[in-house]
Amino acid sequence: MTQIRPVVGLPTLTWLRAFEAAARTASFTAAAAELNLTSGAISYQIRALEAHLGFALFERLPRGVKLTPMGVAYLPPVRKAFEELADSTVGLFGGSERVQITVHAPVSLAALWLAPKLPAFSILNPSIDVRLSSVIWDNAILDEATDLEIRYGAGQWHGYRSEHLLNQNIMAVCSPTLLRTAGAGADPAALRSRQPIHIMGYENHWLKVRQALELNTVAPSMGPTVDTTIAALELAAAGAGVALAHRIFLAAYFSTGRLVSACPEVFADDNSYFVITPERPQRIRREVQLFRDWLIATASE
């Protein structure tokens, strides 16, 4: 019978928990609050770990602490080990505690597409709470508290892994009243070009539409400008002009009759929505992986 040898060189688990919490929060005080210990206890456990390893893991600063190069190198395998142990425990014995993931998404995508679909995820994963945060402009640096972000663009963001989520055609929409007015006494093509509702950050959409409809000879007129697709669609529904939006945002407006298609053409979009995560050495948490897999599967439908 093969004898299983003991693990050699493994520090005490409580020391490792103190190290991981202090490294993640950059504070012995915050780590102590999280682990329900005193700051002195955290400091003692960190010193014991450093003595065991023979290396300093933290620089003690006037305010907080900072990982040394050895601490930076040690953190990813420690976090990975904790995550794998947690996953194995839940997989074998089940888990009763609720977990939370934080997701950032463009405000219109979050409100008009993702939010209505989240109840389906909750039914499949009742122990996972999703904290959905809407953003208008992408942050240059993803917040450490954010587990996953959806971004719109070409798919290239330095320092991040991106996975294609969905690509949608662009549609021109307006209120039924505006469309009837255009059909009765105006050239619909001229109407579409002269009453545009602009969305900051998406200025190229109207350029693409004008080129596709061969309206470059018609001088474009100024129209209202907003910073979200939701605001543009609400303006269009109120009769203020013609808005451009991705098809997935229009189902509720079409079903209630507040908006109609302003023209039969649809327009291809060179950009897409992507799921992005930081290029971290540690493995993604199990609950985040479940949400990402569900999100991509939902988009593919």
Side-chain angles (χ1 to χ4, degrees):
M1 181 176 180
T2 303
Q3 183 179 5
I4 300 177
R5 292 179 294 178
V7 177
V8 178
L10 183 66
T12 302
L13 184 61
T14 55
W15 299 350
L16 294 175
R17 288 181 63 208
F19 165 69
E20 190 279 333
R24 175 164 36 80
T25 60
S27 167
F28 286 1
T29 302
E34 180 178 309
L35 299 178
N36 198 26
L37 297 170
T38 65
S39 298
I42 293 293
S43 179
Y44 171 80
Q45 291 175 5
I46 296 297
R47 287 199 305 270
L49 177 60
E50 290 174 327
H52 176 85
L53 299 174
F55 289 92
L57 300 175
F58 289 96
E59 295 179 28
R60 277 68 172 176
L61 305 174
R63 295 184 179 180
V65 292
K66 177 183 177 182
L67 285 171
T68 64
M70 289 302 294
V72 171
Y74 194 42
L75 179 60
V78 169
R79 293 193 65 176
K80 181 179 180 181
F82 276 127
E83 290 169 356
E84 289 181 344
L85 181 59
D87 287 351
S88 298
T89 301
V90 172
L92 288 171
F93 306 105
S96 57
E97 292 187 359
R98 301 186 68 84
V99 294
Q100 184 182 81
I101 62 175
T102 301
V103 179
H104 282 191
V107 60
S108 299
L109 185 80
L112 298 175
W113 182 76
L114 182 53
K117 298 181 182 300
L118 282 181
F121 177 80
S122 297
I123 292 173
L124 295 173
N125 303 275
S127 65
I128 302 176
D129 294 323
V130 179
R131 185 173 183 268
L132 179 59
S133 176
S134 301
V135 296
I136 296 178
W137 308 111
D138 295 335
N139 295 319
I141 300 176
L142 197 62
D143 190 331
E144 281 294 319
T146 301
D147 295 300
L148 179 147
E149 183 172 342
I150 302 172
R151 287 188 180 182
Y152 172 78
Q156 300 295 327
W157 290 277
H158 179 69
Y160 299 100
R161 293 191 297 265
S162 64
E163 189 168 1
H164 186 268
L165 183 63
L166 53 84
N167 175 271
Q168 287 281 299
N169 288 329
I170 301 166
M171 297 185 66
V173 294
C174 65
S175 69
T177 301
L178 191 62
L179 185 66
R180 285 194 297 269
T181 301
D187 177 7
L191 171 70
R192 291 192 293 270
S193 66
R194 291 175 180 169
Q195 298 190 61
I197 299 172
H198 300 281
I199 306 173
M200 288 183 282
Y202 296 84
E203 291 84 0
N204 64 317
H205 285 183
W206 270 112
L207 176 62
K208 182 181 289 290
V209 169
R210 290 174 57 80
Q211 291 173 341
L213 296 178
E214 299 181 351
L215 298 176
N216 292 332
T217 58
V218 180
S221 64
M222 296 299 294
T225 299
V226 294
D227 61 355
T228 67
T229 300
I230 291 178
L233 294 178
E234 287 298 318
L235 274 175
V242 179
L244 300 178
H246 293 117
R247 184 189 295 271
I248 54 171
F249 299 155
L250 301 172
Y253 288 95
F254 284 168
S255 65
T256 58
R258 297 184 66 207
L259 288 174
V260 295
S261 176
C263 63
E265 296 91 343
V266 296
F267 311 94
D269 190 357
D270 297 330
N271 291 325
S272 301
Y273 291 95
F274 291 85
V275 177
I276 71 162
T277 51
E279 288 182 341
R280 298 170 178 168
Q282 60 265 29
R283 190 168 52 88
I284 189 171
R285 289 193 292 144
R286 174 178 175 271
E287 54 268 26
V288 179
Q289 182 68 54
L290 285 172
F291 183 81
R292 186 172 69 177
D293 292 346
W294 169 84
L295 189 64
I296 292 173
T298 300
S300 68
E301 296 173 359

